Short mmCIF file of all heavy atoms in Angstrom, two decimals:
data_model
loop_
_atom_site.label_atom_id
_atom_site.label_comp_id
_atom_site.label_asym_id
_atom_site.label_seq_id
_atom_site.Cartn_x
_atom_site.Cartn_y
_atom_site.Cartn_z
N ILE A 86 94.68 116.81 96.03
CA ILE A 86 95.64 115.87 95.48
C ILE A 86 96.77 115.65 96.38
O ILE A 86 97.27 114.52 96.65
CB ILE A 86 96.06 116.25 94.08
CG1 ILE A 86 94.87 116.26 93.10
CG2 ILE A 86 97.16 115.33 93.52
CD1 ILE A 86 95.22 116.81 91.70
N GLY A 87 97.38 116.78 96.88
CA GLY A 87 98.55 116.68 97.74
C GLY A 87 98.23 115.91 99.06
O GLY A 87 99.03 115.09 99.54
N ASP A 88 97.04 116.12 99.64
CA ASP A 88 96.60 115.37 100.80
C ASP A 88 96.45 113.94 100.52
O ASP A 88 96.85 113.02 101.32
CB ASP A 88 95.36 115.99 101.37
CG ASP A 88 95.50 117.41 102.00
OD1 ASP A 88 96.69 117.78 102.24
OD2 ASP A 88 94.47 118.10 102.13
N ARG A 89 95.90 113.67 99.38
CA ARG A 89 95.68 112.24 98.97
C ARG A 89 97.04 111.53 98.79
O ARG A 89 97.22 110.35 99.17
CB ARG A 89 94.87 112.11 97.73
CG ARG A 89 93.36 112.36 97.93
CD ARG A 89 92.60 112.16 96.61
NE ARG A 89 92.47 113.39 95.86
CZ ARG A 89 92.14 113.51 94.60
NH1 ARG A 89 91.88 112.38 93.91
NH2 ARG A 89 92.00 114.65 94.02
N LEU A 90 97.95 112.25 98.17
CA LEU A 90 99.27 111.70 97.98
C LEU A 90 99.98 111.39 99.29
O LEU A 90 100.46 110.31 99.50
CB LEU A 90 100.12 112.74 97.19
CG LEU A 90 101.63 112.43 96.96
CD1 LEU A 90 101.78 111.15 96.23
CD2 LEU A 90 102.29 113.55 96.14
N LYS A 91 99.90 112.36 100.24
CA LYS A 91 100.56 112.05 101.54
C LYS A 91 99.81 110.96 102.33
O LYS A 91 100.52 110.07 102.89
CB LYS A 91 100.53 113.41 102.41
CG LYS A 91 101.28 113.20 103.72
CD LYS A 91 101.45 114.50 104.51
CE LYS A 91 102.28 114.34 105.75
NZ LYS A 91 102.46 115.55 106.44
N ASP A 92 98.51 111.00 102.30
CA ASP A 92 97.77 109.90 103.05
C ASP A 92 98.13 108.52 102.44
O ASP A 92 98.26 107.56 103.16
CB ASP A 92 96.28 110.18 102.97
CG ASP A 92 95.80 111.43 103.78
OD1 ASP A 92 96.63 111.88 104.54
OD2 ASP A 92 94.72 111.85 103.54
N PHE A 93 98.21 108.48 101.11
CA PHE A 93 98.50 107.20 100.48
C PHE A 93 99.89 106.71 100.86
O PHE A 93 100.06 105.58 101.29
CB PHE A 93 98.47 107.39 98.95
CG PHE A 93 98.64 106.19 98.13
CD1 PHE A 93 97.60 105.36 97.76
CD2 PHE A 93 99.96 105.66 97.76
CE1 PHE A 93 97.73 104.22 97.03
CE2 PHE A 93 100.11 104.56 97.02
CZ PHE A 93 99.03 103.77 96.67
N LEU A 94 100.88 107.54 100.89
CA LEU A 94 102.26 107.18 101.28
C LEU A 94 102.41 106.89 102.73
O LEU A 94 103.19 106.06 103.11
CB LEU A 94 103.23 108.29 100.81
CG LEU A 94 103.43 108.37 99.29
CD1 LEU A 94 104.26 109.65 98.95
CD2 LEU A 94 104.25 107.15 98.81
N MET A 95 101.68 107.53 103.57
CA MET A 95 101.74 107.32 105.02
C MET A 95 101.22 105.98 105.40
O MET A 95 101.45 105.52 106.54
CB MET A 95 100.96 108.41 105.75
CG MET A 95 101.64 109.79 105.68
SD MET A 95 103.04 109.97 106.76
CE MET A 95 102.27 110.06 108.35
N LYS A 96 100.52 105.27 104.53
CA LYS A 96 100.10 103.89 104.86
C LYS A 96 101.23 102.93 104.73
O LYS A 96 101.12 101.77 105.20
CB LYS A 96 98.96 103.47 103.90
CG LYS A 96 97.70 104.33 104.11
CD LYS A 96 96.66 103.91 103.10
CE LYS A 96 95.34 104.78 103.32
NZ LYS A 96 94.30 104.51 102.30
N HIS A 97 102.34 103.31 104.10
CA HIS A 97 103.50 102.46 103.95
C HIS A 97 104.48 102.84 105.10
O HIS A 97 104.70 103.99 105.39
CB HIS A 97 104.23 102.74 102.65
CG HIS A 97 105.25 101.69 102.24
ND1 HIS A 97 106.40 101.55 102.85
CD2 HIS A 97 105.24 100.79 101.23
CE1 HIS A 97 107.14 100.60 102.31
NE2 HIS A 97 106.41 100.12 101.31
N PRO A 98 105.00 101.82 105.77
CA PRO A 98 105.84 102.14 107.03
C PRO A 98 107.02 103.04 106.70
O PRO A 98 107.47 103.81 107.48
CB PRO A 98 106.20 100.74 107.49
CG PRO A 98 105.99 99.86 106.40
CD PRO A 98 104.83 100.38 105.66
N VAL A 99 107.61 102.82 105.45
CA VAL A 99 108.75 103.72 105.13
C VAL A 99 108.24 105.17 104.89
O VAL A 99 108.84 106.13 105.37
CB VAL A 99 109.44 103.21 103.89
CG1 VAL A 99 110.60 104.13 103.42
CG2 VAL A 99 110.00 101.80 104.11
N GLY A 100 107.09 105.26 104.25
CA GLY A 100 106.50 106.62 104.05
C GLY A 100 106.22 107.28 105.40
O GLY A 100 106.44 108.49 105.57
N ARG A 101 105.71 106.51 106.38
CA ARG A 101 105.41 107.14 107.67
C ARG A 101 106.68 107.60 108.35
O ARG A 101 106.66 108.71 108.96
CB ARG A 101 104.74 106.05 108.58
CG ARG A 101 103.27 105.80 108.20
CD ARG A 101 102.58 105.12 109.44
NE ARG A 101 103.18 103.78 109.68
CZ ARG A 101 102.83 102.67 109.09
NH1 ARG A 101 101.88 102.67 108.17
NH2 ARG A 101 103.42 101.52 109.47
N ASP A 102 107.75 106.87 108.29
CA ASP A 102 109.00 107.33 108.94
C ASP A 102 109.51 108.62 108.30
O ASP A 102 110.17 109.42 108.99
CB ASP A 102 110.03 106.20 108.85
CG ASP A 102 110.00 105.24 110.04
OD1 ASP A 102 109.68 105.79 111.17
OD2 ASP A 102 110.32 104.11 109.90
N LEU A 103 109.30 108.75 107.02
CA LEU A 103 109.91 109.89 106.30
C LEU A 103 109.07 111.16 106.16
O LEU A 103 109.59 112.28 106.16
CB LEU A 103 110.37 109.40 104.86
CG LEU A 103 111.51 108.33 104.87
CD1 LEU A 103 111.62 107.80 103.50
CD2 LEU A 103 112.77 108.91 105.37
N LEU A 104 107.72 110.96 106.09
CA LEU A 104 106.86 112.05 105.69
C LEU A 104 106.09 112.61 106.84
O LEU A 104 105.31 113.57 106.69
CB LEU A 104 105.88 111.59 104.61
CG LEU A 104 106.27 111.58 103.17
CD1 LEU A 104 105.09 111.23 102.27
CD2 LEU A 104 106.89 112.89 102.72
N ALA A 105 106.24 112.04 108.03
CA ALA A 105 105.41 112.47 109.17
C ALA A 105 105.34 113.96 109.33
O ALA A 105 104.28 114.55 109.63
CB ALA A 105 105.88 111.81 110.43
N ASP A 106 106.47 114.67 109.25
CA ASP A 106 106.53 116.13 109.48
C ASP A 106 106.70 116.91 108.25
O ASP A 106 106.96 118.12 108.20
CB ASP A 106 107.69 116.47 110.47
CG ASP A 106 107.56 115.71 111.74
OD1 ASP A 106 106.41 115.65 112.27
OD2 ASP A 106 108.54 115.25 112.29
N ALA A 107 106.56 116.26 107.08
CA ALA A 107 106.83 116.93 105.77
C ALA A 107 105.61 117.68 105.27
O ALA A 107 104.46 117.32 105.56
CB ALA A 107 107.28 115.88 104.71
N GLN A 108 105.94 118.75 104.49
CA GLN A 108 104.80 119.50 103.85
C GLN A 108 105.11 119.62 102.36
O GLN A 108 106.20 119.88 101.94
CB GLN A 108 104.78 120.91 104.47
CG GLN A 108 104.50 120.90 105.96
CD GLN A 108 103.06 120.50 106.28
OE1 GLN A 108 102.14 120.74 105.50
NE2 GLN A 108 102.84 119.78 107.38
N TYR A 109 104.01 119.40 101.62
CA TYR A 109 104.15 119.58 100.19
C TYR A 109 103.91 121.07 99.74
O TYR A 109 103.25 121.77 100.44
CB TYR A 109 103.26 118.62 99.39
CG TYR A 109 101.79 118.84 99.65
CD1 TYR A 109 101.01 119.80 98.95
CD2 TYR A 109 101.09 118.09 100.59
CE1 TYR A 109 99.69 120.00 99.17
CE2 TYR A 109 99.72 118.27 100.84
CZ TYR A 109 99.03 119.24 100.17
OH TYR A 109 97.71 119.47 100.33
N ASP A 110 104.49 121.41 98.65
CA ASP A 110 104.34 122.72 98.09
C ASP A 110 103.02 122.77 97.36
O ASP A 110 102.79 122.17 96.32
CB ASP A 110 105.45 123.00 97.11
CG ASP A 110 105.44 124.44 96.53
OD1 ASP A 110 104.42 125.05 96.64
OD2 ASP A 110 106.38 124.82 95.85
N GLU A 111 102.04 123.53 97.92
CA GLU A 111 100.71 123.50 97.35
C GLU A 111 100.63 124.07 95.95
O GLU A 111 99.65 123.84 95.26
CB GLU A 111 99.75 124.26 98.32
CG GLU A 111 99.58 123.56 99.63
CD GLU A 111 98.44 124.11 100.40
OE1 GLU A 111 97.62 124.96 99.89
OE2 GLU A 111 98.31 123.85 101.64
N SER A 112 101.61 124.91 95.57
CA SER A 112 101.57 125.51 94.20
C SER A 112 102.32 124.53 93.22
O SER A 112 102.43 124.88 92.05
CB SER A 112 102.42 126.83 94.27
OG SER A 112 103.75 126.61 94.56
N ASP A 113 102.78 123.40 93.70
CA ASP A 113 103.55 122.49 92.82
C ASP A 113 103.03 121.05 93.04
O ASP A 113 103.87 120.19 93.31
CB ASP A 113 105.05 122.64 93.24
CG ASP A 113 105.96 121.90 92.28
OD1 ASP A 113 105.54 121.54 91.18
OD2 ASP A 113 107.17 121.70 92.65
N VAL A 114 101.73 120.84 92.85
CA VAL A 114 101.15 119.56 93.01
C VAL A 114 100.54 119.19 91.66
O VAL A 114 99.90 119.98 91.04
CB VAL A 114 100.04 119.50 94.05
CG1 VAL A 114 99.43 118.15 94.17
CG2 VAL A 114 100.59 119.92 95.40
N HIS A 115 100.75 117.94 91.19
CA HIS A 115 100.42 117.49 89.83
C HIS A 115 99.71 116.21 89.84
O HIS A 115 99.96 115.27 90.72
CB HIS A 115 101.67 117.54 88.99
CG HIS A 115 102.40 118.83 89.02
ND1 HIS A 115 102.10 119.89 88.20
CD2 HIS A 115 103.45 119.15 89.81
CE1 HIS A 115 102.97 120.87 88.44
NE2 HIS A 115 103.77 120.52 89.42
N TRP A 116 98.93 115.96 88.81
CA TRP A 116 98.20 114.73 88.63
C TRP A 116 98.05 114.46 87.15
O TRP A 116 97.78 115.39 86.38
CB TRP A 116 96.80 114.77 89.30
CG TRP A 116 95.84 113.76 88.80
CD1 TRP A 116 94.83 113.90 87.82
CD2 TRP A 116 95.73 112.38 89.24
NE1 TRP A 116 94.15 112.74 87.74
CE2 TRP A 116 94.70 111.75 88.55
CE3 TRP A 116 96.49 111.67 90.14
CZ2 TRP A 116 94.32 110.47 88.68
CZ3 TRP A 116 96.12 110.26 90.34
CH2 TRP A 116 95.07 109.73 89.61
N ARG A 117 98.27 113.25 86.72
CA ARG A 117 98.20 112.92 85.33
C ARG A 117 97.76 111.41 85.20
O ARG A 117 98.32 110.53 85.85
CB ARG A 117 99.46 113.16 84.57
CG ARG A 117 99.36 112.98 83.06
CD ARG A 117 100.68 113.36 82.36
NE ARG A 117 101.07 114.70 82.64
CZ ARG A 117 102.35 115.07 82.58
NH1 ARG A 117 103.35 114.27 82.21
NH2 ARG A 117 102.69 116.35 82.90
N LYS A 118 96.82 111.18 84.28
CA LYS A 118 96.39 109.80 84.03
C LYS A 118 96.84 109.35 82.67
O LYS A 118 97.22 110.13 81.80
CB LYS A 118 94.81 109.75 84.02
CG LYS A 118 94.16 109.92 85.41
CD LYS A 118 92.66 109.75 85.26
CE LYS A 118 92.30 108.33 84.94
NZ LYS A 118 90.81 108.08 84.96
N ASN A 119 96.93 108.06 82.51
CA ASN A 119 97.28 107.37 81.22
C ASN A 119 98.56 107.97 80.66
O ASN A 119 98.63 108.62 79.64
CB ASN A 119 96.10 107.57 80.25
CG ASN A 119 94.84 107.02 80.80
OD1 ASN A 119 94.77 105.99 81.50
ND2 ASN A 119 93.72 107.70 80.51
N LEU A 120 99.65 107.70 81.44
CA LEU A 120 100.94 108.34 81.18
C LEU A 120 101.55 107.89 79.78
O LEU A 120 102.21 108.68 79.16
CB LEU A 120 101.93 108.01 82.30
CG LEU A 120 101.52 108.40 83.72
CD1 LEU A 120 102.58 107.93 84.65
CD2 LEU A 120 101.30 109.88 83.81
N ALA A 121 101.39 106.60 79.51
CA ALA A 121 102.12 106.06 78.37
C ALA A 121 101.54 106.35 77.01
O ALA A 121 100.27 106.17 76.86
CB ALA A 121 102.28 104.54 78.55
N TYR A 122 102.28 106.84 76.09
CA TYR A 122 101.80 107.10 74.69
C TYR A 122 102.96 107.00 73.74
O TYR A 122 104.09 106.95 74.16
CB TYR A 122 101.11 108.43 74.66
CG TYR A 122 102.04 109.56 74.97
CD1 TYR A 122 102.80 110.14 73.93
CD2 TYR A 122 102.19 110.09 76.24
CE1 TYR A 122 103.74 111.18 74.29
CE2 TYR A 122 103.07 111.04 76.58
CZ TYR A 122 103.79 111.63 75.54
OH TYR A 122 104.75 112.60 75.89
N TYR A 123 102.64 107.10 72.46
CA TYR A 123 103.73 107.09 71.49
C TYR A 123 103.15 107.63 70.15
O TYR A 123 101.96 107.72 69.92
CB TYR A 123 104.22 105.65 71.21
CG TYR A 123 103.17 104.70 70.78
CD1 TYR A 123 102.99 104.43 69.42
CD2 TYR A 123 102.34 104.07 71.68
CE1 TYR A 123 101.98 103.52 69.02
CE2 TYR A 123 101.39 103.15 71.28
CZ TYR A 123 101.18 102.92 69.92
OH TYR A 123 100.18 102.05 69.51
N SER A 124 104.08 108.09 69.33
CA SER A 124 103.71 108.53 67.97
C SER A 124 104.03 107.35 67.03
O SER A 124 105.06 106.68 67.15
CB SER A 124 104.52 109.71 67.51
OG SER A 124 104.26 110.07 66.15
N THR A 125 103.19 107.16 66.03
CA THR A 125 103.43 106.09 65.03
C THR A 125 104.40 106.57 63.96
O THR A 125 104.84 105.70 63.22
CB THR A 125 102.11 105.71 64.34
OG1 THR A 125 101.53 106.87 63.78
CG2 THR A 125 101.15 105.07 65.34
N THR A 126 104.75 107.87 63.94
CA THR A 126 105.75 108.39 63.03
C THR A 126 106.71 109.30 63.84
O THR A 126 106.26 110.05 64.67
CB THR A 126 105.10 109.18 61.95
OG1 THR A 126 104.17 108.34 61.22
CG2 THR A 126 106.12 109.80 60.95
N PHE A 127 107.98 109.14 63.53
CA PHE A 127 109.03 109.89 64.27
C PHE A 127 109.72 110.95 63.47
O PHE A 127 110.30 111.84 64.03
CB PHE A 127 110.01 108.90 64.91
CG PHE A 127 109.46 107.93 65.89
CD1 PHE A 127 108.95 106.70 65.54
CD2 PHE A 127 109.42 108.25 67.24
CE1 PHE A 127 108.38 105.81 66.47
CE2 PHE A 127 108.91 107.37 68.21
CZ PHE A 127 108.39 106.23 67.80
#
């Protein structure tokens, strides 16, 4: 996931300028789908 995240951002020119030498924390990588939800009762 971390490699996919970096590769995705490196396709953007701003991402390339900023992330070229950066390293992600392999113990702190996250992925989540379908972020939006709600309760019908509060």
Side-chain angles (χ1 to χ4, degrees):
I86 293 173
D88 291 342
R89 283 183 270 165
L90 174 59
K91 184 171 184 178
D92 291 346
F93 186 90
L94 288 169
M95 289 286 285
K96 293 177 182 178
H97 194 290
V99 177
R101 284 197 299 272
D102 269 329
L103 295 169
L104 278 186
D106 302 319
Q108 297 293 325
Y109 61 85
D110 181 349
E111 293 192 14
S112 67
D113 188 15
V114 179
H115 307 273
W116 162 260
R117 188 178 299 158
K118 289 184 67 174
N119 304 323
L120 303 178
Y122 62 87
Y123 59 95
S124 174
T125 57
T126 300
F127 296 90

